[in-house]
Amino acid sequence: MMLLVINPNTTQSMTDKIEAAARAVAAPETEITAVNPTKGPTSIEGHYDGAFSVPGLIDEVRNGMKAGAHGFVIACFDDTGLDAARSIATAPVIGIAEAAMHVAVLIGGSFSVVGTPAGSVPVIESLVLRYGYERHCRGVHAAGFPVLALDDPRSGASKMLRADVQRVVADDQPDSIILGCAGEADLAKTYSQEFGLPVIDGVAAAVKLAEALYGLDLSTSKKHGYAAPPAKSYTGEFSLYAP
């Protein structure tokens, strides 16, 4: 299986971390390629960043289709551009928030999301409702630091995130914790062992779900909402994105 993992922001160090997390769980016969756009926001922390990341994301999906990818993972916990990507891709497209929530309800009755960028909390709360998991979600909790602080060992972000997980485990009493940012993917196993409950990384969950769909020979339905967009003219620089 050829699986393309797309970080929709432009920060290569985050893409490298995401790629390592994906490779750690992928089956031996799965070929993982991780990419990010060259244009767009350096991090995605809410609606505004998400809007400007979609054109670059679509470029990467199109490149993956040309290369023969059998599946795509969108490695942003806002599930940025997921519907648009599914509309143009002929292979399955998995968002890491949706994947993490699906996995969480398979292993417990409740979950809390921890480490979410503050601007993304409303986005993720909307995703909880969209995916039908409001009865299972104990809360979506904002991180006290920007996403890129995780790449700076001097920022204290890792220490703050650990304290947040500890507090949410005590206060929410969830059956599992979901890490609310792809940049935290490398911390799931450590926190799971430390706090004694499943800690879910959406990147890993999405990789395994993509492999499952490939194994079942299933792809996104093109019957209605995700049918290929009709041909039309796109003006100016957006002519590049014409169907």
Side-chain angles (χ1 to χ4, degrees), residues 5 7 17 31 38 41-42 46 50 75-76 87 111 125 136 152 162 170 178 181 221 226:
V5 181
N7 169 20
K17 188 182 295 186
E31 176 186 338
T38 58
T42 56
C76 172
S87 297
F111 63 83
E125 288 176 337
H136 301 272
D152 182 0
R162 182 191 173 279
I178 295 174
C181 175
S221 172
Y226 292 133

Side-chain angles (χ1 to χ4, degrees), residues 42-69:
T42 56
S43 65
I44 299 172
E45 303 183 51
H47 295 292
Y48 190 81
D49 293 335
F52 282 94
S53 70
V54 173
L57 167 68
I58 295 302
D59 278 345
E60 297 302 335
V61 172
R62 283 180 164 170
N63 291 339
M65 290 168 58
K66 292 175 183 176

Side-chain angles (χ1 to χ4, degrees), residues 140-234:
V140 178
H141 300 273
F145 50 84
V147 169
L148 297 183
L150 290 163
D151 285 343
D152 182 0
R154 300 166 299 177
S155 70
S158 295
K159 184 176 180 180
M160 293 172 66
L161 179 60
R162 182 191 173 279
D164 284 346
V165 173
Q166 185 175 36
R167 174 180 56 80
V168 170
V169 168
D171 293 349
D172 286 5
Q173 294 288 303
D175 290 331
S176 65
I177 290 288
I178 295 174
L179 296 177
C181 175
E184 300 160 0
D186 57 328
L187 300 171
K189 181 177 289 188
T190 298
Y191 288 163
S192 182
Q193 293 171 347
E194 180 174 354
F195 294 107
L197 80 173
V199 177
I200 301 165
D201 158 41
V203 174
V207 167
K208 301 313 289 185
L209 289 179
E211 288 179 339
L213 290 175
Y214 179 69
L216 292 168
D217 195 24
L218 293 174
S219 189
T220 304
S221 172
K222 294 296 179 179
K223 187 67 175 175
H224 297 295
Y226 292 133
K232 65 180 70 174
S233 297
Y234 281 57

Side-chain angles (χ1 to χ4, degrees), residues 11-159:
T11 300
Q12 183 63 48
S13 59
M14 188 175 292
T15 304
D16 294 341
K17 188 182 295 186
I18 289 166
E19 182 173 23
R23 289 184 183 277
V25 299
E29 62 272 20
T30 300
E31 176 186 338
I32 298 289
T33 301
V35 297
N36 58 259
T38 58
K39 295 181 180 180
T42 56
S43 65
I44 299 172
E45 303 183 51
H47 295 292
Y48 190 81
D49 293 335
F52 282 94
S53 70
V54 173
L57 167 68
I58 295 302
D59 278 345
E60 297 302 335
V61 172
R62 283 180 164 170
N63 291 339
M65 290 168 58
K66 292 175 183 176
H70 300 119
F72 301 88
V73 169
I74 298 179
C76 172
F77 208 82
D78 288 12
D79 282 355
T80 304
L82 179 60
D83 291 326
R86 284 178 174 165
S87 297
I88 66 165
T90 54
V93 184
I94 309 294
I96 65 171
E98 185 173 19
M101 293 178 202
H102 283 341
V103 168
V105 300
L106 292 175
I107 59 174
S110 63
F111 63 83
S112 291
V113 182
V114 181
T116 299
S120 291
V121 169
V123 179
I124 295 167
E125 288 176 337
S126 294
L127 292 178
V128 170
L129 293 171
R130 169 180 169 171
Y131 301 146
Y133 290 135
E134 61 272 22
R135 185 172 62 84
H136 301 272
C137 182
R138 296 283 175 88
V140 178
H141 300 273
F145 50 84
V147 169
L148 297 183
L150 290 163
D151 285 343
D152 182 0
R154 300 166 299 177
S155 70
S158 295
K159 184 176 180 180

